[in-house]
Amino acid sequence: MRRIFRQTLGALAAASLLLGTPVHAADDSGQDRIASAVREAVGPVMEEHDIPGMAVAVTARGKRYVFSYGVASRESGQKVTEDTLFEIGSVSKTFTATLGAVAQLRGGLSLSDSASRHLPALAGSAFDRISLLDLATYTAGGLPLQFPDDVTGQDGMIAFYRGWRPAYAAGTHRLYSNPSIGLFGALAARSLDKPFDELMEQDIFPALGLTRTYIRVPRDRMDRYAWGISRSGRPVRVTPGVLDSEAYGVKTTAADMIRFVEANMGGGALDDTLRRAIAATHAGYYRVGDMTQGLGWEMYAWPIGLDRLRAGNSVDMALKPHAVTRLDPPLPPQDDVLINKTGSTNGFGAYVAFVPARGIGVAILANRAYPIAARVTAAYRILAALDGEAG
């Protein structure tokens, strides 16, 4: 395992980057403690789950650190660096939610609008009674986790939605679903009269200051795009699918992800519309156990025990319907919460979590879809260390 854990910048203490600049441990005593905490949290996880490479970015006390471990490709041996692109799977939904909130502020839509209002092809279907908010919070009535394999293209998608019958009244049950929030993202883009990918890559990402974040990785950046590892051990990357961009299509670096985290905690030079849109994604609309469902993001009162946080991010929560308690009016954005999101593709696993009141956050990106419980545990330990640094 020595090669896996050799850090990307071996000449630097803990392979760390502070604000994008190499920093030696002697330059910042807090950095050395954070580097040790990150290594102790993710090293055993990489070994246990045979993860080829990982990038971990943290923010604490207004300082940003990026740590790189292992390889971006087992076949080539290319190391993970600050420029390595990872698939972040469903963490992409937080960007989709941000776009939807921007669309509402620009007057393109209201979350209370019916879905069919923005896609007339769905008129006369169940989507006359399903709102954009229902789609964004997975409470449309039981849309499945994934589209059936035989659903392809726009026509196939429309036919699927028109033929679908809700199992529950809208707004009563949460069932995590790519077709649900994916449709929300597509309708948000439609309301702004531009393709979703174009809006994200030419509007949202640049406005957030994200220079290495993509839906479609440019040809001249493909050499920085990591290869994931499938369950069978083969190199893999995400394949195209219906509403893939909206539900799980973002590729980014750990450095860009922690910049996005900081934007979500009020940092960065953002315009007023984007700042308000980000805040809107933190409003709470439904409660399921300890978890409050926002737009894309999921929130918990802080501090919270690890077992409860893992339960909120469990397979049971992802795959089974749960009755919800509607928060009416919606809960305004809170600072004393942990805000998080998991994401996976066939070959990648991601987890992002932050606590605005403490000014701390972590983004963990890996080129294997290892168990979510292990991601949450590692991040929780890092946040505990960061909380001490921020105190």
Side-chain angles (χ1 to χ4, degrees):
M1 300 300 296
R2 182 178 300 172
R3 180 169 64 88
I4 291 178
F5 292 108
R6 184 184 303 131
Q7 300 182 355
T8 304
L9 301 178
L12 302 179
S16 303
L17 300 175
L18 171 59
L19 299 176
T21 302
V23 175
H24 294 274
D27 294 334
D28 182 349
S29 59
Q31 179 220 4
D32 188 49
R33 291 191 295 273
I34 291 172
S36 295
V38 172
R39 281 200 309 274
E40 291 170 5
V42 304
V45 173
M46 291 185 70
E47 183 170 11
E48 179 180 357
H49 299 287
D50 193 23
I51 298 170
M54 184 178 284
V56 181
V58 303
T59 182
R61 295 187 299 170
K63 294 182 179 180
R64 190 183 312 146
Y65 305 81
V66 180
F67 306 88
S68 302
Y69 307 90
V71 295
S73 168
R74 276 189 173 159
E75 292 192 331
S76 70
Q78 181 180 358
K79 295 179 181 179
V80 173
T81 75
E82 61 170 324
D83 293 322
T84 300
L85 295 167
F86 291 83
E87 296 170 9
I88 61 170
S90 287
V91 179
S92 305
K93 293 175 171 64
T94 64
F95 290 101
T96 296
T98 302
L99 175 64
V102 167
Q104 179 165 243
L105 289 170
R106 291 180 181 174
L109 59 81
S110 170
L111 293 178
S112 62
D113 292 344
S114 69
S116 60
R117 175 176 176 177
H118 293 275
L119 186 56
L122 297 181
S125 74
F127 291 88
D128 290 338
R129 300 175 297 281
I130 293 170
S131 71
L132 298 182
L133 178 63
D134 296 328
L135 293 175
T137 55
Y138 321 111
T139 58
L143 281 166
L145 177 63
Q146 307 285 7
F147 284 103
D149 290 341
D150 60 353
V151 174
T152 59
Q154 180 79 3
D155 290 345
M157 180 189 76
I158 296 297
F160 166 77
Y161 285 129
R162 289 194 62 84
W164 174 74
R165 298 292 181 268
Y168 312 99
T172 65
H173 288 73
R174 176 189 185 273
L175 181 59
Y176 190 72
S177 168
N178 285 335
S180 186
I181 200 167
L183 181 57
F184 170 73
L187 298 184
R190 187 182 179 94
S191 77
L192 296 174
D193 297 319
K194 288 185 179 180
F196 180 87
D197 292 6
E198 180 180 327
L199 282 164
M200 297 305 293
E201 295 188 332
Q202 298 182 18
D203 188 341
I204 300 299
F205 297 158
L208 288 165
L210 308 183
T211 60
R212 293 171 290 180
T213 300
Y214 312 98
I215 300 293
R216 309 297 176 194
V217 179
R219 183 171 299 179
D220 63 357
R221 294 292 187 271
M222 288 297 290
D223 61 336
R224 301 176 186 178
Y225 185 178
W227 280 97
I229 298 296
S230 70
R231 291 182 181 179
S232 63
R234 299 178 63 85
V236 64
R237 287 173 176 158
V238 69
T239 54
V242 177
L243 299 182
D244 56 341
S245 295
E246 294 84 347
Y248 52 85
V250 175
K251 296 87 178 172
T252 189
T253 65
D256 262 14
M257 273 310 307
I258 208 66
R259 189 180 296 274
F260 183 48
V261 166
E262 290 176 343
N264 273 268
M265 295 196 296
L270 306 180
D271 67 46
D272 183 63
T273 297
L274 186 55
R275 189 178 301 278
R276 291 166 58 203
I278 288 174
T281 67
H282 300 172
Y285 292 96
Y286 294 98
R287 186 163 286 132
V288 184
D290 290 317
M291 188 268 283
T292 299
Q293 181 68 61
L295 298 182
W297 296 108
E298 298 160 10
M299 285 87 73
Y300 301 82
W302 179 261
I304 185 172
L306 175 58
D307 288 346
R308 291 163 61 196
L309 184 60
R310 287 173 50 156
N313 287 283
S314 66
V315 172
D316 180 81
M317 186 65 76
L319 298 183
K320 295 181 180 179
H322 293 267
V324 297
T325 299
R326 186 181 185 114
L327 302 178
D328 191 14
L331 184 68
Q334 308 290 305
D335 282 338
D336 54 345
V337 293
L338 180 146
I339 302 176
N340 79 168
K341 187 70 188 78
T342 64
S344 302
T345 59
N346 286 336
F348 291 80
Y351 182 61
V352 177
F354 55 96
V355 184
R358 304 297 291 164
I360 57 176
V362 59
I364 304 178
L365 311 184
N367 54 351
R368 183 183 282 279
Y370 63 108
I372 289 174
R375 306 177 210 177
V376 173
T377 300
Y380 188 88
R381 291 172 178 167
I382 293 169
L383 286 173
L386 297 179
D387 203 15
E389 290 296 320

